[in-house]
């Protein structure tokens, strides 16, 4: 009986070992016996999936690229708008700065305008063809402006009124090509002495006014101040004109000729003062053209 039970235990253990080994073997090698139709279906499905996924992935990548380009374009447009606005602000700031400097220079002229009635105005028209000949300001007869009145810019005298409308006036500049129409009586302030002459023409190549009929014996020094002297009866006395650059005898040896650096910047005139002085012809009845020739 005991022998039978011992043999029975051995048989149970042997059966368990065989069963376990069979299950392990099946788990490792049993899947290789998958039916052929199932393998065909799986292979076909895999090939189809690869065939479809490639163009699909390409389309998705292209769509993402298009979206990126679109977003970049929108951002670029926004940046351009911001840059344009910034440039506009910079231009406005530069213009305001220039106007402020010009106004400061005009205020610096105040001591030279003592006992003179002036009115401030702005340049509204200046054509390229006549840039150094004429300009138009926003003051006219409604502002008591009259022909022959002197016009002062940021640092000195620039010209005279030659035409007047109710709300505008035309200014002939001292740099005009027609010197006979814009002669100005002027004085050079020297140490202990003042000598007189006439601003007769303008050298555009060197940006210098030419002053003639100066006393031959005067010791004229570079940097001497030149102002209007009022002797011609049109331009009032004491308006700054410029500074002496050089002086020499004229071609006849009877007088001196001086070159004057203008006090005003004729290339950039925006704000002006009109000196509201009475014309000589109003006081004496003299013809304006004759007075201009004598001034």
């Amino acid at each position: 009986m005991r022998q039978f039970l011992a043999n029975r235990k051995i048989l149970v253990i042997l059966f368990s070992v065989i069963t376990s080994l069979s299950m392990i073997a099946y788990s490792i090698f049993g899947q290789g016996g998958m039916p052929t139709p199932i393998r065909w279906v799986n292979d076909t499905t895999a090939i189809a999936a690869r065939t479809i996924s490639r163009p699909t992935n390409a389309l998705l990548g292209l769509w993402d690229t298009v979206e990126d380009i679109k977003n970049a374009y929108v951002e670029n447009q926004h940046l351009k708008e911001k840059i344009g606005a910034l440039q506009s602000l910079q231009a406005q700031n530069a213009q305001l700065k220039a106007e402020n400097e010009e106004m400061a220079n005009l205020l610096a002229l105040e001591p030279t305008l003592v006992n003179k009635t002036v009115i401030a105005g702005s340049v509204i028209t200046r054509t390229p063809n006549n840039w150094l000949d004429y300009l138009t300001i926003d003051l006219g007869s409604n502002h008591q402006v009259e022909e022959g009145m002197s016009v002062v810019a940021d640092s000195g005298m620039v010209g005279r009124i030659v035409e007047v409308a109710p709300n505008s006036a035309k200014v002939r500049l001292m740099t005009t090509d027609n010197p006979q129409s814009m002669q100005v009586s002027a004085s050079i302030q020297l140490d202990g002495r003042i000598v007189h002459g006439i601003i007769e023409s303008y050298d555009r190549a060197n940006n210098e006014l030419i002053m003639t009929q100066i006393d031959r014996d005067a010791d004229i020094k570079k940097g001497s101040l030149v102002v209007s002297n009022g002797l011609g009866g049109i331009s009032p006395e004491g308006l700054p004109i410029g500074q002496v650059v050089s002086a020499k005898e004229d071609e006849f040896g009877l007088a001196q000729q001086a070159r004057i650096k203008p006090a005003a910047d004729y290339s950039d005139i925006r704000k002006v003062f009109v000196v509201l002085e009475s014309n000589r012809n109003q006081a004496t009845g003299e013809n304006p053209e004759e007075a201009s020739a004598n001034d």
Side-chain angles (χ1 to χ4, degrees):
M1 186 66 177
R2 291 179 180 178
Q3 187 177 0
F4 174 75
L5 292 174
N7 292 334
R8 188 176 178 181
K9 288 180 180 180
I10 294 172
L11 290 174
V12 171
I13 293 171
L14 183 60
F15 177 76
S16 299
V17 172
I18 293 172
T19 301
S20 298
L21 292 174
S22 299
M23 292 178 68
I24 292 172
Y26 177 77
S27 64
I28 296 174
F29 305 105
Q31 294 180 355
M34 183 179 294
T36 301
I38 294 176
R39 288 202 304 271
W40 289 351
V41 171
N42 291 341
D43 292 342
T44 302
T45 303
I47 294 171
R50 286 196 297 269
T51 303
I52 295 173
S53 66
R54 288 178 180 175
T56 301
N57 291 335
L59 289 174
L60 290 175
L62 179 61
W63 177 261
D64 291 339
T65 301
V66 172
E67 286 295 318
D68 291 341
I69 293 174
K70 182 179 178 182
N71 293 335
Y73 175 78
V74 172
E75 292 177 1
N76 188 37
Q77 291 300 112
H78 289 163
L79 289 174
K80 285 183 178 180
E81 291 176 0
K82 291 181 179 180
I83 291 174
L86 180 60
Q87 290 175 340
S88 177
L89 287 174
Q90 289 177 336
Q92 292 177 10
N93 289 337
Q95 184 173 358
L96 289 173
K97 183 179 179 180
E99 290 180 357
N100 288 339
E101 291 177 354
E102 190 169 12
M103 291 301 296
N105 291 333
L106 286 173
L107 292 174
L109 280 175
E110 190 172 356
T112 68
L113 302 176
V114 174
N115 299 326
K116 298 179 179 65
T117 303
V118 299
I119 182 172
S122 300
V123 176
I124 56 176
T125 304
R126 195 175 184 186
T127 60
N129 291 338
N130 296 309
W131 191 260
L132 293 176
D133 296 313
Y134 299 96
L135 56 79
T136 303
I137 60 175
D138 61 352
L139 302 173
S141 58
N142 290 340
H143 307 88
Q144 302 180 351
V145 172
E146 301 175 3
E147 291 185 19
M149 288 182 172
S150 298
V151 180
V152 179
D154 58 350
S155 299
M157 182 177 175
V158 294
R160 284 199 291 257
I161 304 292
V162 292
E163 294 179 13
V164 180
N167 294 297
S168 64
K170 188 174 183 179
V171 179
R172 179 183 287 132
L173 300 175
M174 295 176 66
T175 53
T176 180
D177 274 339
N178 184 3
Q180 295 298 323
S181 64
M182 198 53 221
Q183 293 183 349
V184 177
S185 294
S187 297
I188 302 176
Q189 298 180 353
L190 304 176
D191 294 336
R193 184 184 179 189
I194 293 177
V195 295
H196 305 297
I198 296 178
I199 303 294
E200 195 168 82
S201 60
Y202 175 69
D203 181 356
R204 293 191 175 185
N206 297 301
N207 185 31
E208 294 173 344
L209 297 166
I210 309 300
M211 184 174 179
T212 60
Q213 302 183 32
I214 305 169
D215 184 357
R216 186 181 64 176
D217 298 326
D219 183 16
I220 301 174
K221 297 180 180 180
K222 181 178 180 180
S224 298
L225 181 64
V226 181
V227 299
S228 61
N229 58 26
L231 297 178
I234 294 182
S235 300
E237 181 182 1
L239 298 180
I241 295 176
Q243 292 182 332
V244 175
V245 175
S246 63
K248 65 178 182 179
E249 287 189 353
D250 62 16
E251 58 183 340
F252 303 106
L254 301 176
Q256 290 190 79
Q257 175 180 290
R259 287 182 168 267
I260 313 299
K261 180 182 179 181
D265 182 4
Y266 287 93
S267 65
D268 186 19
I269 302 174
R270 294 190 180 95
K271 304 292 183 180
V272 297
F273 281 142
V274 177
V275 183
L276 302 180
E277 296 280 346
S278 297
N279 292 334
R280 182 179 180 185
N281 62 301
Q282 288 180 319
T284 64
E286 183 178 356
N287 185 285
E289 293 183 358
E290 294 177 355
S292 177
N294 293 327
D295 190 12

